[in-house]
Amino acid sequence: MANVKKESSNAGGMFSGIVIAGCILVGWLIWNFIMGNGSNFEGGVNTGHPLPGNYLAMVYKGGPIVPVLMGLLLMVIVFSFERYIVINKAAGKGNLDQFMKSVQGSISKGDIDGALAACDKQQGSVANAIKAALVKYQEVKKEGFDSEAASEMIHTEIEEATSLEMPMLEKNMTIISTLVSLGTLAGLFGTVTGMIKAFAALATAGTPDQAMLANGISEALINTATGISTSALSIIAYNLFTSKIDTLTYSIDEAGATIVNTYRHFRGSSKN
């Protein structure tokens, strides 16, 4: 089991590395060949001024930091889609709320076989963890353990099942949370370097040119806008997926509590 986890972790790390490198590369290709296409500029070359209203050319003039910002934005999009797919798969095939109501109803009635059938139908990480707890319930019921010992065994089984099923949900969430800060910082860095270049150009020109200064500032602020957009998207994605993961974890805990309470009720009834 440890080897399987290690191999899965290595494969996941390799995937993340490939995605990061690929996003940076794609960002550079977009910046160089699409935004930097000569048709977007006066004179047909990307060294000229952007055509009026051509935003691709304006973003291109943001400088070499733009491919990095584009790469960061693409990372947020790619990892968000990846997390969405994984978390939806963990929730199972059917509606999670309906599944939980069905399972809890079956457990409360003592219909463990019905709850197990619902878990087999739902599949996913939540259903697998609950199924493991139900199987343990049947075992402790057959052995006739007292309520405290049974409760401990069922909780232990749930924790072990969760430790096997849920860690993949947290994977790459660190990257998304890091992009929240990294996007803003990269945007500010691009703005600072752009402002330095704008004022340096004015200094060498001798006579202050207001149009040139305004153009340089607008180009520099493009980096800030792109960085803030990346950070905003990262915050939304991170909070959304964190909320979904908490919901899945709570569902497992809630089902575990129902199973334990059902066993205690069974023990109390058998004594009477």
Side-chain angles (χ1 to χ4, degrees):
M1 186 63 68
N3 290 334
V4 172
K5 285 186 177 181
K6 185 176 181 180
E7 290 177 2
S8 177
S9 177
N10 291 338
M14 184 178 297
F15 168 78
S16 299
I18 291 173
V19 169
I20 292 172
C23 287
I24 295 294
L25 176 61
V26 171
W28 181 83
L29 292 174
I30 294 173
W31 176 73
N32 193 51
F33 294 104
I34 297 179
M35 295 179 177
N37 190 291
S39 61
N40 298 323
F41 301 86
E42 296 177 357
V45 291
N46 57 23
T47 54
H49 291 292
L51 291 173
N54 193 307
Y55 291 102
L56 290 178
M58 291 177 62
V59 174
Y60 175 83
K61 287 294 185 178
I65 195 66
V66 172
V68 177
L69 290 168
M70 292 292 297
L72 295 177
L73 183 59
L74 288 172
M75 285 180 213
V76 176
I77 295 172
V78 172
F79 283 119
S80 294
F81 272 111
E82 187 264 346
R83 287 296 87 196
Y84 177 80
I85 293 171
V86 170
I87 292 174
N88 274 4
K89 184 178 179 181
K93 293 183 176 180
N95 183 276
L96 183 61
D97 291 335
Q98 293 179 357
F99 165 70
M100 290 303 301
K101 290 179 181 179
S102 174
V103 167
Q104 287 182 320
S106 298
I107 294 172
S108 299
K109 295 175 183 177
D111 183 14
I112 303 303
D113 291 335
L116 287 170
C119 291
D120 290 334
K121 183 179 179 180
Q122 179 76 5
Q123 300 182 4
S125 297
V126 175
N128 290 340
I130 295 175
K131 182 179 179 179
L134 291 171
V135 171
K136 179 59 66 175
Y137 170 89
Q138 290 181 321
E139 292 178 2
V140 297
K141 183 178 179 181
K142 183 178 180 181
E143 295 295 333
F145 289 98
D146 62 78
S147 296
E148 293 303 321
S151 175
E152 184 66 26
M153 294 177 69
I154 292 173
H155 278 304
T156 301
E157 186 68 21
I158 291 176
E159 290 175 359
E160 291 178 355
T162 303
S163 68
L164 292 175
E165 296 287 347
M166 304 301 282
M168 284 299 295
L169 299 180
E170 299 286 349
K171 198 170 186 63
N172 295 328
M173 290 295 290
T174 303
I175 295 177
I176 295 177
S177 65
T178 301
L179 291 172
V180 172
S181 300
L182 200 57
T184 302
L185 292 175
L188 290 175
F189 177 77
T191 299
V192 170
T193 55
M195 294 290 286
I196 292 173
K197 291 179 181 179
F199 283 106
L202 285 177
T204 55
T207 304
D209 187 340
Q210 292 182 352
M212 186 176 181
L213 178 60
N215 186 55
I217 293 175
S218 66
E219 291 174 358
L221 292 177
I222 288 171
N223 292 319
T224 300
T226 307
I228 291 175
S229 300
T230 300
S231 296
L233 185 59
S234 300
I235 291 172
I236 294 171
Y238 182 80
N239 289 336
L240 176 63
F241 295 136
T242 299
S243 176
K244 286 183 174 292
I245 292 171
D246 289 342
T247 299
L248 297 180
T249 304
Y250 175 76
S251 298
I252 295 175
D253 293 339
E254 188 179 19
T258 303
I259 294 171
V260 170
N261 290 334
T262 301
Y263 185 81
R264 286 174 176 168
H265 178 72
F266 162 76
R267 287 291 296 177
S269 299
S270 62
K271 288 179 181 180
N272 296 331

